[in-house]
Amino acid sequence: MKVYYKRHPLLVMLISVVLSIVLGIIVLSVFVLHKGKKNQTHTYATYTVESQADSLFKGSVVASTFADYTKDVSLGELSKVNVIEGQEIKAGDVLLTYTKSSNELSSQEFTVKSAENELVNAKADMTEVENKDVSLRTKFTKAKNDAEKQVLNDQIETNNEALKTAQRALTTASLALEQAQTTMANQVAQQTISVTSKTAGNVVMGIDSETGPLLSVVSKETFVLGKVSEYDYDKLKVNDNVKVETVDLKKRYQERFHSSHLYQKKQQEI
């Protein structure tokens, strides 16, 4: 080394300076790092989870019951729609009336018409006889001699017989019409089929077509139909009480969870 130093003194000095500088940098770095660790203060943020996050699901509000009523030609000819749009009905109310065609029914309709005409004629005859009785009695009052009064009296007695006959004819015609109408009503009842509502609700009129319903009955009661994800399903049990909040955050409802993924809405609003 001495021999090398004597031969290359400048190179040895240069190497020594470089090594000194590198060693100084290492020592200084260790010192600064150690001091920095000493002065460093560790802080931690803690959070407390008070409750599980709300579950979100997509859903819609639908009627609890919904029934369509289409035209049924097997029941006969649709003769009447007994309800109107928006009408509130109860279970058992008549919605549609069908009538089956029948020759017997047409024959009875003719009988009723004939009885009505007989009654009209009987009333006209009765009115004519009554007017004649009034006229004869007026003449009898104004008669000036006994002979004239005797003639008028005979006419009054004859007219009284006609009056009794007209009264009997009127009574007979009234009874005949009543009987014909009763028979007609019975036949109509046998030929008429009424379709009643199975549930209570409001009427929504449809379109008279082969595919569309004539009308529907939609219940006032509604429920929220939604899908619960597999991540939330294990958190719920059948008949658990849950709170459902609408997207607009304006309404909240107390609900009951069903295994069919339905939240049955109660009437009260929170």
Side-chain angles (χ1 to χ4, degrees):
M1 183 68 183
K2 291 182 179 180
V3 176
Y4 185 81
Y5 177 74
K6 289 180 179 181
R7 290 182 181 181
H8 305 283
L10 293 176
L11 180 59
V12 172
M13 291 178 65
L14 179 60
I15 292 173
S16 298
V17 171
V18 171
L19 290 175
S20 298
I21 293 173
V22 171
L23 182 61
I25 291 173
I26 293 173
V27 172
L28 182 61
S29 299
V30 171
F31 176 77
V32 171
L33 180 61
H34 179 69
K35 186 177 181 181
K37 287 184 177 180
K38 252 183 163 183
N39 295 332
Q40 184 177 1
T41 302
H42 297 283
T43 58
Y44 300 93
T46 60
Y47 300 93
T48 302
V49 179
E50 296 180 354
S51 62
Q52 293 180 342
D54 293 337
S55 299
L56 298 177
F57 65 90
K58 292 183 179 180
S60 58
V61 179
V62 297
S64 59
T65 59
F66 187 96
D68 291 334
Y69 296 86
T70 57
K71 180 183 289 187
D72 189 351
V73 295
S74 65
L75 299 178
E77 182 181 356
L78 179 63
S79 56
K80 186 178 181 181
V81 177
N82 301 79
V83 292
I84 60 175
E85 175 73 26
Q87 181 176 339
E88 184 176 349
I89 61 173
K90 303 183 296 296
D93 286 350
V94 178
L95 303 175
L96 305 169
T97 301
Y98 291 87
T99 302
K100 291 185 177 181
S101 59
S102 171
N103 293 331
E104 185 179 352
L105 188 61
S106 300
S107 175
Q108 188 59 36
E109 288 176 347
F110 177 78
T111 301
V112 171
K113 289 292 184 182
S114 298
E116 289 175 346
N117 292 333
E118 290 294 331
L119 181 60
V120 170
N121 293 334
K123 287 181 178 180
D125 292 341
M126 185 70 182
T127 300
E128 182 180 355
V129 174
E130 288 176 339
N131 290 337
K132 186 175 181 180
D133 181 72
V134 172
S135 176
L136 289 173
R137 292 182 184 279
T138 301
K139 292 180 179 179
F140 181 84
T141 303
K142 295 179 179 180
K144 297 180 179 180
N145 54 67
D146 294 338
E148 187 178 358
K149 288 182 178 182
Q150 184 61 44
V151 173
L152 292 171
N153 187 60
D154 293 341
Q155 292 178 353
I156 290 173
E157 289 180 359
T158 302
N159 193 68
N160 284 340
E161 293 299 324
L163 183 61
K164 292 177 182 179
T165 301
Q167 287 176 337
R168 287 193 294 268
L170 180 60
T171 300
T172 301
S174 297
L175 292 175
L177 177 59
E178 183 178 348
Q179 184 177 0
Q181 289 174 336
T182 300
T183 303
M184 179 72 178
N186 291 335
Q187 290 185 1
V188 169
Q190 294 175 359
Q191 298 297 323
T192 300
I193 299 176
S194 298
V195 176
T196 59
S197 178
K198 299 178 182 178
T199 59
N202 293 95
V203 176
V204 178
M205 300 304 297
I207 301 175
D208 185 3
S209 65
E210 294 182 357
T211 57
L214 283 171
L215 57 89
S216 303
V217 177
V218 182
S219 65
K220 287 185 174 181
E221 294 76 17
T222 59
F223 62 82
V224 179
L225 175 64
K227 293 183 178 180
V228 178
S229 70
E230 63 273 19
Y231 302 105
D232 292 322
Y233 192 73
D234 290 338
K235 303 176 186 177
L236 299 171
K237 296 180 181 178
V238 176
N239 293 327
D240 276 354
N241 289 325
V242 295
K243 291 181 180 179
V244 176
E245 186 173 296
T246 58
V247 177
D248 57 12
L249 305 181
K250 293 180 181 179
K251 292 183 178 180
R252 294 181 180 181
Y253 303 95
Q254 185 72 33
E255 314 294 342
R256 186 173 296 277
F257 177 74
H258 291 258
S259 59
S260 58
H261 298 182
L262 299 181
Y263 290 91
Q264 186 66 42
K265 181 177 292 184
K266 292 183 179 179
Q267 294 296 328
Q268 66 269 24
E269 185 175 302
I270 300 177

